[in-house]
Amino acid sequence: MGAMRGRFAPSPTGVLHLGNLRTALVAWMSVAAQNGEWLVRMEDLDPFTSSRLHEQQQLRDLAAMGLVPDGPVVRQSERFELHRHAVAELDGRGLVYQCFCTRREIREASSAPHGDPMPDGAYPGTCRRLSAADRSRMASDGRPAALRLRAHGERVAVADRVAGVVEGMVDDVVLVRNDGVPAYNLAVVVDDHLQGVTEVVRGDDLLSSTPRQVHLQQLLGYATPAYAHVPLVVGEDGQRLTKRHGAITMAELADRGVDAAGVLTMLGASLGLCRVDEQVTAAELADRFSFDHLPRSAWIWSDTMV
Ligand code: GLU
């Protein structure tokens, strides 16, 4: 048996907000409570929105709360070869096909009535049945091709530590985008496997993607990690946190006089692990942590609380 290993995998496309920080804290506490190792992986697949400045700022904000990775920070953008290797393996088994559809075509085809209920954003399979002649015509028209998994409507059940058993249908998920960049669902599966991650803690907005990812793990012969999807932080309007919700980053909270220790207390209190006026360290919170007591609904944030 290898070490217990968890991770936090932010996209360095902006400053971490309270929702990201709270998820990172839960991931870190779970690892600390199991004496495991905690990694940070930068999911910088998109070269246009990711930046090194955001990356450094995110690491500083995590460190200010006492969340420091036990190993080098890995960037997905430096691992494309590894991702492509996994796609080649699936391709060798006839499980990959080229898809020339635009987003608009997919949207239109998915809204047409079809038999089976499909997961969110599921691909209706338009390019599955293209002939070799169709494919070369599309390619010579200059249409770039994405690569998709040839799924067979498999249903996959995942046991989540927070959400319980979640079942979903696997669609023809994108493996490589039409700009040649590995797609999120593929990259996350390959990297978690190669990094020896045994526990994935992340926001529950990704719960519906988990059956797809578990299916990819099974096809590639990888072990499935334990999953825990943490309820999001939302504003009083019930929407995900954005700038319009006021002070939601460490810097903005610092401007209101809430330092990193104060943010830790606030997050700990939102998880039922400390009082709102208690000085705590992340390690002290970890001693009190258990998934059994993790709140099952979103935390509603209002910056009038600070
Ligand atoms: N990079 C994703 C995000 O920022 C998280 C992916 C994951 O944890 O699997 O939301």
Side-chain angles (χ1 to χ4, degrees):
M1 261 306 271
M4 182 275 157
R5 194 172 288 159
R7 51 61 155 190
F8 179 58
S11 302
T13 53
V15 183
L16 295 175
H17 61 56
L18 282 171
N20 309 128
L21 294 167
R22 188 170 181 258
T23 301
L25 176 62
V26 174
W28 186 92
M29 289 189 298
S30 175
V31 165
Q34 299 173 73
N35 285 316
E37 292 169 355
W38 190 68
L39 304 178
V40 172
R41 180 176 66 237
M42 288 293 161
E43 301 215 319
D44 59 345
L45 290 174
D46 198 327
F48 298 110
T49 53
S50 302
S51 93
R52 294 286 164 95
L53 285 178
H54 288 314
E55 195 180 297
Q56 295 313 317
Q57 186 60 52
Q58 293 187 346
L59 292 170
R60 273 198 298 275
D61 285 350
L62 293 170
M65 293 203 313
L67 314 187
V68 178
D70 298 309
V73 172
V74 159
R75 292 190 190 105
Q76 285 190 317
S77 61
E78 292 167 1
R79 300 166 66 85
F80 287 1
E81 275 315 303
L82 301 168
H83 305 142
R84 292 200 180 108
H85 188 77
V87 176
E89 149 114 31
L90 296 170
D91 192 26
R93 285 148 58 192
L95 291 172
V96 176
Y97 67 92
Q98 286 183 305
C99 169
F100 297 89
C101 291
T102 60
R103 276 174 203 268
R104 175 150 173 223
E105 286 164 343
I106 296 173
R107 216 171 31 245
E108 285 169 6
S110 324
S111 56
H114 39 62
D116 258 333
M118 300 283 265
D120 281 354
Y123 179 65
T126 321
C127 286
R128 268 181 96 110
R129 291 165 291 274
L130 291 182
S131 65
D134 291 334
R135 282 198 300 273
S136 57
R137 188 169 32 79
M138 302 263 196
S140 58
D141 284 352
R143 285 238 207 176
L147 298 179
R148 286 187 182 273
L149 177 73
R150 191 180 290 280
H152 300 282
E154 292 90 347
R155 299 198 68 82
V156 175
V158 182
D160 186 90
R161 289 209 175 129
V162 181
V165 176
V166 178
E167 202 189 72
M169 202 179 88
V170 178
D171 65 329
D172 290 2
V173 62
V174 175
L175 303 172
V176 179
R177 301 172 354 185
N178 69 7
D179 57 2
V181 172
Y184 159 68
N185 283 297
L186 185 270
V188 78
V189 162
V190 170
D191 289 333
D192 281 338
H193 168 70
L194 293 178
Q195 293 189 277
V197 168
T198 59
E199 182 179 275
V200 170
V201 175
R202 59 188 178 191
D204 71 0
D205 51 331
L206 290 167
L207 189 57
S208 66
S209 287
T210 310
R212 297 173 171 132
Q213 294 175 13
V214 170
H215 183 62
L216 282 173
Q217 288 156 5
Q218 291 170 349
L219 288 174
L220 289 162
Y222 301 164
T224 290
Y227 283 102
H229 285 85
V230 180
L232 296 184
V233 180
V234 297
E236 287 175 299
D237 53 2
Q239 303 296 312
R240 286 181 196 217
L241 290 188
T242 61
K243 282 195 189 318
R244 72 171 186 283
H245 293 110
I248 56 165
T249 68
M250 298 249 302
E252 289 161 351
L253 287 160
D255 287 344
R256 306 264 186 113
V258 184
D259 61 7
V263 173
L264 192 60
T265 294
M266 224 162 57
L267 296 177
S270 82
L271 294 162
L273 300 175
C274 65
R275 295 190 317 272
V276 285
D277 57 356
E278 199 176 339
Q279 277 275 353
V280 279
T281 63
E284 283 162 353
L285 291 176
D287 285 341
R288 307 172 191 179
F289 175 76
S290 148
F291 279 114
D292 297 341
H293 302 124
L294 192 84
R296 289 326 195 232
S297 49
W299 180 41
I300 301 170
W301 164 252
S302 158
D303 81 350
T304 57
M305 298 195 270
V306 293

